[in-house]
Each structure stands twice: as C-alpha cells, then as structure tokens.
Amino acid sequence: MSKINELVEQLATPILNDMNLELVDVEFVKEGSNWFLRVFIDKEEGVDIEECGIVSNRLSEKLDELDPIPQNYFLEVSSPGAERPLKKEKDFHRAIGKHIYVKTYEPVDGLKEIEGTLTSYNGETLTVAVMIKTRKKTVTIPKEKVAKARLAVSFS
C-alpha cells in the first residue's frame, strides 16, 4: 500500500467510525492526465449519496489541512457496489456462502480465474464450489496465490 493510501486510511478511519461506516478500499490512480483518489465506504445496509457527500467533505477538509498530495487530483467517495472487492480477513469471512470471483497469480487446478460460491475460508485457503459445465467441483485456493478477489453477481 502506498504512503498516500495509508495516510488517507488514517484520516478517513475516525470520520467513518463516527458515522458507523467501514472503509473498504483506497485507490490513488492516474487515468489519462488526471489523478483520482477513490475512497470506497460501506455498511451492512449499504451507503447512500448523502453519506458519501458527508465523508467527502470531511475528508477533503483534512486533506486540505495536511496537503499531503503534491499533484492535483479528484476525490471520489463511493460505495464499492455489488462486486465489492475482498481484501481484508473480515471481507472473506463475510463472503462465505456468497458468489465470488477470484483471479490468481498462477493456475490452481488448471484455472487462473475461478467463479463460484465461497464455502470456507480459514485465513490461509479459500474453498470455492464451482460449476464446470454440468459438474460441481471444489477448488481450494491458497491465499498467497490470490491476485484479486471480489463478490460477483450470479445470473443463474
């Protein structure tokens, strides 16, 4: 995690705790000629536009005070949406029983992209029930091989 991401996390956490919200992720990325600081927030019932606006205003004030980012950037505060990333331990535990998508650094059981139901997570491995054509299969993925994981919308 970059220093900017860490600092934004430190600044955002008390604001979010105050509002009973959770910090899901922070991204500081360049797209074209513009820089974007994206802060993704959530709570059990989901967040609304008003909550995003309040967090944006409060965080913007803190960032203006400290001025830690030398380049111009756009601050965006939003919900992670239906395909929320799974990054922290609690994200994986909360996703048990839900449909997920996992991309791995190297193939696991011949697959680099796995989509199915997360049946268990023990901190070291994810167990995912997948359908391959008409056959059910269980894939066990070592956590260190996970490049990206997120909730996935299932259309079945």
Side-chain angles (χ1 to χ4, degrees):
M1 186 182 284
S2 78
K3 287 186 191 268
I4 290 172
N5 291 24
E6 286 177 28
L7 177 65
V8 171
E9 191 168 319
Q10 288 171 6
L11 294 173
T13 298
I15 296 166
L16 297 172
N17 288 345
D18 229 19
M19 298 175 65
N20 294 317
L21 298 171
E22 171 191 358
L23 180 65
V24 175
D25 200 10
V26 175
E27 291 179 349
F28 186 58
V29 294
K30 187 173 186 180
E31 293 178 2
S33 60
N34 296 315
W35 282 90
F36 293 87
L37 176 58
R38 295 191 175 112
V39 178
F40 298 96
I41 61 173
D42 209 357
K43 66 180 177 191
E44 195 67 36
E45 6 7 298
V47 293
D48 60 33
I49 191 87
E50 187 178 325
E51 290 166 312
C52 291
I54 292 167
V55 171
S56 179
N57 289 338
R58 289 185 183 173
L59 184 57
S60 184
E61 286 174 15
K62 293 284 184 196
L63 289 165
D64 287 348
E65 282 173 27
L66 292 175
D67 199 20
I69 303 172
Q71 58 268 64
N72 290 330
Y73 62 92
F74 295 97
L75 173 62
E76 296 177 353
V77 176
S78 67
S79 160
E83 294 192 337
R84 173 189 174 135
L86 305 175
K87 294 190 171 204
K88 300 172 183 159
E89 291 291 309
K90 66 181 177 182
D91 296 336
F92 286 98
H93 287 292
R94 198 182 301 151
I96 293 172
K98 296 184 179 170
H99 198 76
I100 68 166
Y101 166 85
V102 179
K103 187 171 185 162
T104 58
Y105 291 113
E106 56 189 58
V108 175
D109 286 359
L111 304 167
K112 280 191 76 175
E113 295 186 51
I114 299 146
E115 193 168 319
T117 302
L118 180 62
T119 57
S120 71
Y121 173 72
N122 66 12
E124 294 181 16
T125 59
L126 293 79
T127 305
V128 182
V130 298
M131 286 292 288
I132 298 176
K133 297 189 182 177
T134 59
R135 196 170 52 100
K136 283 186 181 178
K137 180 180 179 178
T138 299
V139 179
T140 301
I141 309 164
K143 178 84 170 16
E144 71 268 4
K145 289 189 179 182
V146 174
K148 182 193 291 189
R150 62 172 166 75
L151 293 178
V153 176
S154 173
F155 294 101
S156 56

